[in-house]
């Protein structure tokens, strides 16, 4: 199973693709999408949407994952980050790829063993876990870390997410009733 | 000149198109895009992006306008609204249509004469100004009001916006120097 991790940002958005194989998790690709800060907002968002679209077509992931937003943002940052996430999620949704949200703590813990790890520790562990020759740039490392965290969640999480995206709100009821759970 | 006004929202996004003609401003179309709340976020944003895209292709506006975001929002609302704006602006930017932001007060004042007008006054004035047989639904009325406000700004504003979208940050410097102003 291929997983696309994304670290959204208004100036730089990192992405990383890993594949879960029977023998382990392997690296497929990673990169950073930069939008020129001199351009108007609508052109930057259109370019972000278009490049994500191209990455989804090229690597054909079956799942995507983004960091859940940390609520301690201020209102302006939340709006700016929201706009980048909107352009990104619209591109992934259009390709029919279900998106999961994981907290920054969950991702760091899965990759480094500590939910409070520093950025550089995440970069270093991503490099080691995926046998890369050098640490990926920070945005791409965060995206690969999210993809790695999702990849190690195993087949049960896949079923859960599939059920959630297909059945919407019916899910929470069904989970309480073992007779109807998937 | 055709102008597309948009009132972005995560559940319902209003849009309205007006055309500035030599004799005045006329109504072209309006509507509301609803995204089913039971669907996942990425599917809702993809559908919003896709429907805006279709409206831009159908009506071929030369300008678009959205309300500037009111900073008194809370962080969660700013993120949710930002995501809708991101999907919308990416669609408009991809069509090469420049987007202007106007404050809610400017829009209300242009349409009703008061920056603090109630929603129902805006609906009523939009209906009268565009000679509609009934008041448009609230989201569409707000979108038409934004388009009307932008339409009455006249040809000088068009130049300004053109200059801004082409020259980016150079604009503020140039405006201070009459020798180089467009």
């Amino acid at each position: 199973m291929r997983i696309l991790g994304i670290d959204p940002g208004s100036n730089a958005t990192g992405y990383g693709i890993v594949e879960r194989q029977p023998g382990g998790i392997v690296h497929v690709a990673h990169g950073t999408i930069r939008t020129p800060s001199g351009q108007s907002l609508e052109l930057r968002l259109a370019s972000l949407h278009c490049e994500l679209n191209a990455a989804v077509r090229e690597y054909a992931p079956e799942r995507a994952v983004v960091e859940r937003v940390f609520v301690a943002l201020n209102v302006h940052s939340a709006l700016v980050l929201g706009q980048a996430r909107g352009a990104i999620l619209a591109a992934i949704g259009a390709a029919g790829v279900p998106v999961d949200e994981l907290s920054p703590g969950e991702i760091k813990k899965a990759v480094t063993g500590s939910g409070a790890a520093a950025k550089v520790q995440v970069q270093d562990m991503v490099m080691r876990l995926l046998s890369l020759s050098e640490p990926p740039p920070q945005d791409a490392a965060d995206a690969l870390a999210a993809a790695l965290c999702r990849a190690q969640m195993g087949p049960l999480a896949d079923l859960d997410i599939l059920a959630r995206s297909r059945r919407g709100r019916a899910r929470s009821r069904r989970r309480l009733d073992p007779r109807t759970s998937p």
Side-chain angles (χ1 to χ4, degrees), chain A:
Chain A
M1 190 176 75
R2 279 202 172 180
I3 297 164
L4 166 66
I6 304 147
D7 180 34
S10 54
N11 299 322
T13 289
Y15 66 91
I17 298 112
V18 302
E19 193 167 287
R20 193 169 68 206
Q21 294 180 349
I25 300 167
V26 299
H27 174 263
V28 177
H30 68 262
T32 305
I33 300 170
R34 287 182 196 283
T35 55
S37 58
Q39 276 191 341
S40 65
L41 174 65
E42 65 275 15
L43 288 180
R44 295 210 313 278
L45 291 170
S47 126
L48 183 53
H49 180 270
C50 177
E51 297 219 28
L52 238 300
N53 206 344
V56 169
R57 277 195 224 175
E58 184 172 355
Y59 299 109
E62 287 142 279
R63 293 273 182 282
V65 55
V66 286
E67 256 188 26
R68 190 167 296 135
V69 176
F70 189 46
V71 286
L73 285 175
N74 67 39
V75 170
H76 177 74
S77 310
L79 180 72
V80 169
L81 178 60
Q83 289 175 163
R85 283 171 61 99
I88 290 164
L89 294 177
I92 301 173
V97 178
V99 181
D100 204 17
E101 293 193 64
L102 297 173
S103 76
E106 275 178 287
I107 296 171
K108 284 181 179 170
K109 190 162 186 199
V111 173
T112 68
S114 156
K119 292 266 183 196
V120 66
Q121 283 176 276
V122 172
Q123 278 177 300
D124 187 57
M125 281 307 295
V126 163
M127 178 183 73
R128 288 160 187 257
L129 289 167
L130 293 172
S131 311
L132 304 174
S133 56
E134 55 183 34
Q138 198 170 305
D139 300 303
D142 286 347
L144 284 169
L148 275 168
C149 175
R150 180 63 189 78
Q152 58 85 42
M153 286 171 77
L156 215 55
D158 306 345
L159 275 179
D160 184 13
I161 282 176
L162 261 180
R164 180 153 57 88
S165 63
R166 285 197 192 133
R167 300 203 197 98
R169 288 178 176 179
R171 171 188 169 234
S172 49
R173 277 200 309 277
R174 280 167 189 253
R175 288 184 84 186
L176 295 176
D177 184 350
R179 287 165 304 174
T180 59
S181 62

